[in-house]
Amino acid sequence: MAIINVNIVKPIYVCTFKRQIPKICVALGTTAAAANAIQYSFHTTKPCNQIVIRRSGNYKPPIWEFDYIQSLKIEHAGERYATRASELKMQVKMMLDEAVEPLDQLELIDNLQRLGISYHFENEIKQILSVINRKYSKIDQDSKINDLYATTLEFRLLRQHGFNVSEEIFDRFKNEKGEFKSSLCDDAKGLLQLYESSFLSIEGETTLEMATEFTSCMI
């Protein structure tokens, strides 16, 4: 008569988690036997009243209250500095007025935006971009200068300021297969501007999607 020793493994309770604190724990029990024995498995359920306690971060209250900030001494405050700031604004406005070439105007606007001070000259910038948009919208694309840097800089600034500019402006930089020309790889500044401009695309603009892939491989 064959004797089979059956060892019952202690059930392991596994909590089933959903969106809230688990309400039911499932105990998974298994049996192990000797050779030629049949292995059994069974499932049982057991209520689980587990409470999750989150440890505190012990964060200290912030010191940057309104009264404290107002009490700080500002070194560059006062009429003297306000007067100097007004003088510098007037100088920049003169620079915007004196810039005649569209590329010079666009580069100056781009520099002001990157410095984070373009909000001081919103009216002047809007006026310059309006003139550039009207001027270039009346000219056929074939007559434009094949300058990737100037074209992409113009496209990006106009779109950033809400002007309706078509992606077809980049068609002259494509070859017969409809792909961007490999010669553009030599224009580092133009590629960088094209890369930034490609993120201003709207749904369905395949040229700008191609521009993202093309410039991502090159930069």
Side-chain angles (χ1 to χ4, degrees):
M1 180 177 179
I3 299 176
I4 300 177
N5 295 324
V6 179
N7 298 324
I8 300 178
V9 181
K10 185 178 180 181
I12 302 173
Y13 293 94
V14 180
C15 293
T16 58
F17 288 84
K18 291 188 177 181
R19 296 182 179 177
Q20 299 178 351
I21 297 177
K23 297 181 179 179
I24 297 177
C25 290
V26 179
L28 304 179
T30 58
T31 61
N36 299 326
I38 301 175
Q39 186 175 7
Y40 298 94
S41 64
F42 59 90
H43 301 274
T44 61
T45 61
K46 180 181 179 180
C48 181
N49 298 323
Q50 181 180 358
I51 300 177
V52 178
I53 302 177
R54 299 182 181 275
R55 63 179 183 179
S56 174
N58 295 323
Y59 297 115
K60 297 181 179 180
I63 63 173
W64 303 102
E65 297 180 354
F66 179 78
D67 294 336
Y68 175 74
I69 295 176
Q70 294 299 317
S71 65
L72 295 176
K73 182 180 179 180
I74 302 176
E75 182 179 356
H76 300 287
E79 183 178 355
R80 170 190 171 188
Y81 294 100
T83 303
R84 180 55 179 165
S86 299
E87 293 175 355
L88 293 175
K89 290 179 184 179
M90 291 302 300
Q91 293 181 13
V92 175
K93 290 182 179 181
M94 291 177 59
M95 293 172 63
L96 290 170
D97 293 336
E98 294 174 356
V100 179
E101 296 297 327
L103 181 58
D104 296 336
Q105 294 174 328
L106 293 172
E107 288 181 334
L108 182 55
I109 294 173
D110 187 39
N111 291 334
L112 293 175
Q113 289 188 173
R114 295 183 185 277
L115 290 172
I117 57 176
S118 60
Y119 64 93
H120 292 293
F121 316 100
E122 290 181 353
N123 295 333
E124 291 78 8
I125 291 175
K126 204 74 173 181
Q127 182 179 359
I128 292 174
L129 294 178
S130 298
V131 172
I132 293 177
N133 185 51
R134 289 195 302 267
K135 178 180 178 181
Y136 279 84
S137 62
K138 297 179 181 179
I139 302 176
D140 188 77
Q141 288 198 15
D142 294 336
S143 63
K144 291 182 179 180
I145 302 175
N146 292 324
D147 186 343
L148 179 63
Y149 170 74
T151 302
T152 50
L153 179 60
E154 172 194 337
F155 175 86
R156 179 171 62 82
L157 291 178
L158 288 176
R159 277 220 171 175
Q160 285 178 341
H161 288 267
F163 292 93
N164 185 18
V165 188
S166 175
E167 66 169 354
E168 296 178 356
I169 195 174
F170 299 112
D171 288 345
R172 51 198 151 100
F173 299 107
K174 297 180 180 179
N175 55 24
E176 296 78 7
K177 297 181 180 180
E179 301 173 348
F180 282 100
K181 300 177 182 178
S182 58
S183 58
L184 299 177
C185 300
D186 299 330
D187 187 359
K189 292 176 61 178
L191 283 177
L192 183 58
Q193 288 294 335
L194 181 60
Y195 176 76
E196 294 181 359
S197 300
S198 66
F199 289 95
L200 298 175
S201 63
I202 57 178
E203 186 176 359
E205 290 187 325
T206 56
T207 298
L208 291 177
E209 292 178 0
M210 292 173 53
T212 303
E213 297 178 359
F214 178 75
T215 53
S216 297
C217 298
M218 300 298 174
I219 296 178

